[in-house]
Amino acid sequence: MNAIDVKNLVKRYGGRAVVDHVTMTVAAGEIVGFLGPNGSGKTTTIRIMCGLLTPDEGEGHVLGYDLRTESLLIKREVGYMTQRFSFYEDLTIGENLEFVARLYKLRPVEEHVATTLEDLGLASRRDQLAGTLSGGWKQRLALAACIMHKPKLLLLDEPTAGVDPKARREFWDEIHRLARGGLTVLVSTHYMDEAERCHRISYISYGKLLATGTVEEVVRNAGLTTFVVSGAGLDQVAEALEGRSGVDQVAPFGATLHVVGSDQAALEAALTDIRDRPGVTVEPGETSLEDVFIQFMAGSRDNMS
Ligand code: ADP
């Protein structure tokens, strides 16, 4: 059974479809990344999936429960982590978790809190005030709170926004550990390295799913060609290439330029005179996931209306 199996979900605000016929499946134990520009409909989709919002159209099952008629049951078995840190800053980690345990009517409270603290490596900080925690520890507390009731599905909305790289890495190690234990995870993120740690990713723009698959599949299916230009005078090369037919993207990467296009022949043609510049080398390069997303986003910087 798929943990998430939804078809043609539509949600409109003021006549505008912010979720536009989204169809998605997530297998049990899978970690799926949800990517897309701000305002593309990720949060709204996630909130529909955890039973907090009713779709205007579409249907589906989450954890085997009907999205429309069994949202209460879904809520009970889903852990949802919102973007905002929503804890009592003047309570300790332990007290915050006790509060959450009572909300979920977990008994005995003390035992659930102790196990969760232990599980997430928070035991030594039990008595620290939540308000004094660093970003990484706050995320860990938020994760602890949303897995304490032992959900089968985790829906994480940009869980690591603003968290430093080391803490992000630890957070993802934790996500993988939980998935190995059978938990299914749908996680929205803006970070490419995080997308690469997912089993599969889905990319959404203006409410529509544009691509789904493994990172390799999404990169391959985008059908882009990339050349790496190195050598002298790269600023002038970039300037010369900008806006040329066949050139969709020109981006500096360290001491090189990545030049990307969707029409290989046109891109090759655009690079002909660059190859002839003294001291400049043009070599075929690997298209990155970031190149693909920038291509998707071209022309639509932001989906906010
Ligand atoms: P994302 O999570 O990808 O940033 P959201 O799902 O938060 O996107 O938002 C998608 C679009 O829907 C945005 O344009 C946002 O302004 C709009 N939107 C979200 N919630 C509401 C609401 N309650 N009322 C009106 N518009 C909304």
Side-chain angles (χ1 to χ4, degrees):
M1 185 191 72
N2 283 319
I4 296 177
D5 195 347
V6 296
K7 273 198 197 72
N8 287 321
L9 295 182
V10 176
K11 185 75 190 174
R12 292 191 190 86
Y13 288 119
R16 188 169 63 99
V18 303
V19 175
D20 197 354
H21 296 90
V22 167
T23 296
M24 197 189 265
T25 55
V26 178
E30 206 176 16
I31 303 174
V32 172
F34 204 12
L35 291 108
N38 287 329
S40 53
K42 300 180 296 295
T43 301
T44 309
T45 307
I46 288 175
R47 290 172 70 87
I48 293 173
M49 286 170 179
C50 59
L52 287 171
L53 273 179
T54 313
D56 295 323
E57 286 175 36
E59 64 206 65
H61 290 84
V62 173
L63 298 172
Y65 301 119
D66 189 291
L67 209 54
R68 292 183 172 279
T69 57
E70 296 175 303
S71 62
L72 268 179
L73 295 169
I74 294 175
K75 276 183 218 161
R76 209 177 288 164
E77 293 187 21
V78 161
Y80 172 46
M81 188 167 153
T82 61
Q83 287 172 15
R84 260 179 232 111
F85 180 71
S86 43
F87 293 95
Y88 294 102
E89 305 228 329
D90 51 355
L91 292 186
T92 64
I93 287 188
E95 288 163 345
N96 268 294
L97 290 181
E98 279 166 28
F99 178 74
V100 175
R102 290 205 170 86
L103 278 182
Y104 278 104
K105 300 195 167 47
L106 304 176
R107 300 277 187 276
V109 168
E110 198 40 48
E111 200 176 300
H112 278 90
V113 171
T115 318
T116 308
L117 286 168
E118 206 52 56
D119 255 11
L120 285 173
L122 283 165
S124 63
R125 291 181 182 249
R126 178 185 187 124
D127 297 325
Q128 187 169 344
L129 291 181
T132 65
L133 295 170
S134 69
W137 286 102
K138 280 184 177 170
Q139 299 313 89
R140 198 174 281 229
L141 168 58
L143 184 63
C146 76
I147 62 169
M148 190 157 40
H149 65 294
K150 308 229 167 348
K152 297 196 177 79
L153 171 65
L154 269 187
L155 296 165
L156 308 174
D157 200 354
E158 290 185 34
T160 59
V163 173
D164 71 58
K166 180 166 172 284
R168 288 205 287 125
R169 175 160 290 210
E170 286 166 4
F171 187 87
W172 274 86
D173 290 343
E174 197 59 50
I175 296 297
H176 274 271
R177 191 179 66 82
L178 292 167
R180 279 196 297 277
L183 199 66
T184 307
V185 183
L186 177 67
V187 48
S188 73
T189 175
H190 281 294
Y191 298 108
M192 296 303 128
D193 59 320
E194 296 192 348
E196 282 166 355
R197 293 197 69 176
C198 296
H199 299 128
R200 276 194 306 129
I201 54 171
S202 282
Y203 184 91
I204 188 170
S205 177
Y206 287 106
K208 288 193 170 68
L209 270 195
L210 295 188
T212 189
T214 62
V215 169
E216 293 73 27
E217 285 165 351
V218 169
V219 170
R220 194 172 348 110
N221 293 340
L224 298 179
T225 303
T226 299
F227 284 98
V228 177
V229 184
S230 51
L234 290 186
D235 287 350
Q236 292 91 304
V237 172
E239 211 170 293
L241 285 173
E242 219 41 271
R244 267 194 197 177
S245 148
V247 176
D248 296 335
Q249 298 175 40
V250 183
F253 270 75
T256 66
L257 276 185
H258 279 209
V259 187
V260 182
S262 51
D263 179 337
Q264 186 171 354
L267 183 62
E268 299 252 15
L271 285 164
T272 317
D273 67 302
I274 304 295
R275 287 180 196 280
D276 295 339
R277 292 192 181 204
V280 172
T281 319
V282 179
E283 286 169 322
E286 296 257 330
T287 301
S288 69
L289 189 62
E290 187 165 314
D291 297 330
V292 173
F293 288 158
I294 289 173
Q295 195 79 7
F296 283 147
M297 278 159 72
S300 60
R301 281 256 160 283
D302 204 294
N303 287 179
M304 293 288 197
S305 62

